[in-house]
């Protein structure tokens, strides 16, 4: 069986999707929609070694698309994503849509795009890829039925505005709970420029309250040299995941009980995320509805710190 997959946006993130798809060892028709000629050429070069089972069509517009595709991946930045999604749905009918985060930067876009996809009966997931790490599944099973769990994520300059959504989702995945609020009170007052043009970042902490009573504290330190660590606590127990060092440690009352390897998996190595969508039209990644709930709390917290009026629903300058 041959699958047809459309990728909108083949910049750095888009090419990581192409790397993962090339490793599927399946017959694929890939359609890449990308306005930049250099990005299209880079995609063609990446896929050239796989021409025995992958055909590629790279173009700069939405013309002459098939009436349906098995999977559409939208890997653009946040600002143009709604326009790209609308163009996609006008040009073809995907069986499943995979969207990058930050998903959208206004509540209106979050709500109306959710209604759009739901009205067409198209399932959608958001690429918060830590749900694809097998060792996080193992940790989730270890946590079991504990309630009131908390998480502390801390490290130097890890781009909290771009990546904070990942950890709200990770907590939801590990704890089987949703955040009910996100506070910006512990962010530093002044933003700093992001690597994304026209966007901002912050140092300091965002603090989320979880439905089970625990808290999620996300801290991006201005001081350099502190590797990112994810700590999960429950009463006198603590699990510490150090993704860069490839280990997870479990302590009780401050005494180490064990340390074991932990594999942090890149998008380009998580072929299973794509096979389950293609084979079952389902995904372990967060649904649109789940991630949109995270995004609403998250972007409002950033807008409050920037002094923006929430009622005006102006775009939050993050991506």
């Amino acid at each position: 069986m041959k699958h047809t997959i459309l990728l909108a946006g083949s910049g750095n993130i888009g090419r990581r999707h192409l790397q993962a798809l090339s490793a599927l060892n399946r017959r694929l028709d890939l359609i890449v929609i990308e306005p930049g000629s250099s990005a299209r050429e880079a995609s063609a070069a990446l896929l050239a070694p796989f021409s025995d089972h992958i055909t590629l069509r790279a173009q700069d517009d939405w013309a002459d698309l098939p009436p349906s595709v098995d999977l559409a991946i939208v890997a653009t930045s946040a600002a143009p994503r709604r326009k790209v999604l609308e163009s996609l749905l006008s040009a073809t009918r995907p069986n499943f849509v995979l969207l990058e985060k930050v998903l959208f930067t206004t509540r209106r876009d979050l709500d109306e795009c959710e209604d759009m996809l739901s009205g067409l009966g198209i399932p959608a997931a958001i690429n918060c890829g830590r749900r694809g790490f097998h060792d996080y599944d193992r940790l989730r099973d270890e946590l079991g039925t504990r309630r009131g769990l908390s998480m502390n994520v801390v490290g130097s300059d890890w781009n909290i505005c771009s990546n904070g959504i990942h950890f709200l989702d990770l907590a939801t995945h590990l704890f089987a709970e949703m955040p009910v609020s996100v506070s910006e009170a512990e962010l530093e007052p002044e933003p700093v420029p992001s690597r994304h043009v026209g966007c901002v970042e912050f140092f300091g902490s965002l603090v989320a309250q979880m439905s089970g009573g625990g808290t999620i504290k996300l801290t991006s330190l201005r001081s350099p040299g502190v590797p990112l660590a994810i700590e999960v606590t429950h009463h006198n127990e603590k699990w510490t995941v150090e993704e860069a060092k490839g280990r997870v440690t479990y302590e009780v009352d401050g005494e180490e009980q064990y340390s074991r390897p932990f594999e942090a998996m890149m998008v380009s190595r998580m072929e299973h995320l794509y096979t389950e969508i293609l084979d079952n039209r389902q995904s372990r990644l967060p649904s649109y509805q789940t991630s949109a709930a995270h995004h609403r709390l998250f972007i409002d917290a950033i807008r409050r710190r920037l002094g923006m009026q929430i009622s005006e629903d102006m775009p939050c300058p993050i991506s």
Side-chain angles (χ1 to χ4, degrees), residues 161-235:
C161 292
S162 294
N163 296 313
I165 284 289
H166 278 297
F167 295 106
L168 291 184
D169 184 69
L170 179 61
T172 293
H173 178 55
L174 293 178
F175 303 170
E177 300 171 7
M178 290 288 285
V180 295
S181 67
V182 176
S183 170
E184 74 287 357
E186 296 185 39
L187 287 177
E188 291 188 4
E190 295 300 323
V192 296
S194 165
R195 61 186 176 86
H196 301 285
V197 177
C199 295
V200 300
E201 279 293 344
F202 276 98
F203 293 107
S205 302
L206 286 167
V207 181
Q209 297 294 321
M210 299 296 287
S211 58
T215 60
I216 310 301
K217 188 169 186 177
L218 311 179
T219 303
S220 182
L221 300 172
R222 185 180 288 274
S223 54
V226 181
L228 189 72
I230 299 101
E231 298 175 349
V232 175
T233 57
H234 184 261
H235 301 309

Side-chain angles (χ1 to χ4, degrees), residues 10 45 206 235 244 248 270:
S10 65
L206 286 167
H235 301 309
V248 56
M270 290 194 283

Side-chain angles (χ1 to χ4, degrees), residues 257-276:
Q257 305 299 305
Y258 66 71
S259 179
R260 66 166 183 259
F262 182 96
E263 184 182 10
M265 305 178 73
M266 305 304 293
V267 170
S268 57
R269 296 186 52 243
M270 290 194 283
E271 300 95 335
H272 53 287
L273 298 181
Y274 306 86
T275 56
E276 63 190 15

Side-chain angles (χ1 to χ4, degrees), residues 97-115:
V97 172
L98 178 59
L99 298 154
E100 281 293 337
K101 42 76 18 221
V102 170
L103 180 51
F104 297 106
T105 60
T106 67
R107 281 180 170 258
R108 176 181 176 180
D109 285 351
L110 287 164
D111 295 346
E112 293 182 357
C113 289
E114 181 174 347
D115 291 343

